[in-house]
Amino acid sequence: MRFGRPRRRERWRRQDDLPEPHPARNAVARAGAARGRRGHFNKHGLDVTLQPTKGTPQAMQTLLSGIAPITRLGQIDVMTAITGTGQPLVNIATPFRTSAVRFVYSKKNHPLEKPEDLVGQTMGVPSEGGTSDKVVSLVLAGAGLDPKQTKRQVVGLTPGTFNLVQQGRLAGYVVSIDTANIVTSQNPDAGVFDPTRYVKSDTQVYVTTKDALKQQAGDLRAFLAGLHDAMSAMVADQTLDETIKQLRGRYSFGTLDDDAIAKASLTMLRESWTGGDPSKPLLVTEEAAWSGSYKELTDAGLVKAGGSPATWFDNSLLPTS
């Protein structure tokens, strides 16, 4: 597949890290990332279509097979692939600097306020061995606790799963930011545990291959420039009124149609992009954070030690201003 310049469309692929029945409902974040992006990409000479894939394996396969030149993956999955099977992946941008998942629990039944509260309990996760499952393990391991002390049960990611928490069958379950906001808005008993306080490696990055980095650098640079423009526009929209107006012109679903939930989710999204510091440049991968996250993963036994994380990212294609 070749890149299209003006008047020609290139199909890019990205991964939905928490698949749900309707991709956009997985988070207002998905729509938020799309704020005005087509015009921004066109400005830089690309006509881009972002296509969701069915999880990490398919997203990675489309990249490695050359079908798509770039995809968005979790840092945990990228480092696992590099250290485990030697995949030629390169992180060229970090859009999400913090975790995009939350643990929802019942305040009455069993509050989850610290890692120790997970010990001896059962947590709901969307898939066994997936990113959400690993985030639970990282929360425990980071506190010096054995992840095996917390059982996992595969459950759906919908707000309705909170019934299992209220019934005491689960201590909590791992959901997207949107779903967490929906559950708390509908249930006064619902509480939210933010793993970002304990886990630093659950970021999301845009990844390409070593070959594509050399052969398609110009197009990748244009893509990142358009993405940077779109993200900057939303960060600058302090009230988020214009962002929501644009999104509602393209999408219609519950979490976006509700002003309170939409603004809460988009605010969390924006904070994840900036890492809580709007003065920091967007998309830049910081070497200390990247290497520190690798150490976090090796200490938890989730990836192989002995690698050179500084060679796994490249900021050279990012806008300089």
Side-chain angles (χ1 to χ4, degrees):
M1 182 172 292
R2 297 174 181 170
F3 273 94
R5 276 299 177 175
R7 299 183 182 280
R8 183 165 177 156
R9 175 161 294 177
E10 171 61 26
R11 292 188 179 274
W12 298 71
R13 283 177 167 38
R14 66 165 172 80
Q15 175 218 356
D16 278 316
D17 57 321
L18 290 173
E20 291 193 38
H22 188 300
R25 285 183 191 153
N26 176 28
V28 167
R30 298 295 176 270
R35 181 193 188 274
R37 68 186 175 208
R38 180 168 296 176
H40 290 296
F41 288 143
N42 286 346
K43 173 185 173 183
H44 294 280
L46 287 180
D47 189 2
V48 177
T49 299
L50 300 182
Q51 295 184 337
T53 59
K54 296 180 180 179
T56 297
Q58 185 184 21
M60 196 173 296
Q61 183 57 39
T62 59
L63 176 66
L64 294 172
S65 65
I67 295 175
I70 191 171
T71 190
R72 194 181 74 220
L73 299 170
Q75 179 181 345
I76 297 172
D77 296 314
V78 173
M79 290 188 166
T80 299
I82 293 174
T83 62
T85 56
Q87 298 299 339
L89 304 177
V90 183
N91 162 19
I92 58 174
T94 300
F96 291 83
R97 292 192 168 108
T98 60
S99 179
V101 301
R102 300 291 185 267
F103 302 174
V104 175
Y105 62 86
S106 166
K107 298 175 185 177
K108 296 178 181 178
N109 287 355
H110 189 79
L112 299 178
E113 299 176 344
K114 56 187 183 301
E116 289 77 7
D117 295 332
L118 295 167
V119 175
Q121 304 299 317
T122 300
M123 284 292 296
V125 295
S127 63
E128 184 177 355
T131 299
S132 296
D133 190 344
K134 291 176 181 177
V135 171
V136 175
S137 292
L138 286 167
V139 168
L140 290 159
L145 303 169
D146 184 354
K148 293 180 180 178
Q149 290 183 290
T150 300
K151 295 180 180 179
R152 320 297 157 82
Q153 179 178 325
V154 176
V155 298
L157 299 175
T158 66
T161 302
F162 187 63
N163 290 332
L164 298 178
V165 178
Q166 291 180 306
Q167 293 167 8
R169 296 168 62 182
L170 300 172
Y173 68 120
V174 186
V175 299
S176 68
I177 287 173
D178 273 10
T179 300
N181 287 331
I182 293 172
V183 175
T184 54
S185 70
Q186 296 176 346
N187 299 275
D189 178 40
V192 176
F193 176 96
D194 184 358
T196 298
R197 292 180 290 165
Y198 304 96
V199 178
K200 304 305 177 185
S201 55
D202 188 32
T203 67
Q204 292 184 33
V205 297
Y206 276 102
V207 181
T208 190
T209 63
K210 292 181 180 179
D211 286 343
L213 184 62
K214 296 177 182 178
Q215 299 168 7
Q216 297 177 277
D219 293 300
L220 291 169
R221 184 177 288 109
F223 173 82
L224 294 176
L227 180 66
H228 185 276
D229 289 351
M231 292 172 66
S232 296
M234 183 171 143
V235 171
D237 182 16
Q238 295 187 3
T239 66
L240 294 171
D241 291 337
E242 180 60 26
T243 295
I244 290 176
K245 177 182 177 181
Q246 288 196 26
L247 295 179
R248 286 176 178 169
R250 298 184 60 186
Y251 305 100
S252 179
F253 50 88
T255 53
L256 180 59
D257 296 339
D258 184 300
D259 283 352
I261 294 177
K263 288 196 173 185
S265 296
L266 289 169
T267 296
M268 292 179 185
L269 166 69
R270 186 165 56 188
E271 290 175 351
S272 181
W273 287 353
T274 63
D277 185 355
S279 67
K280 287 186 177 181
L282 297 170
L283 298 174
V284 172
T285 300
E286 298 176 354
E287 182 173 354
W290 180 253
S291 297
S293 294
Y294 175 59
K295 184 178 185 303
E296 179 179 84
L297 292 172
T298 57
D299 288 348
L302 294 180
V303 301
K304 293 182 179 179
S308 302
T311 65
W312 304 337
F313 76 93
D314 188 330
N315 287 321
S316 66
L317 300 183
L318 295 174
T320 56
S321 59

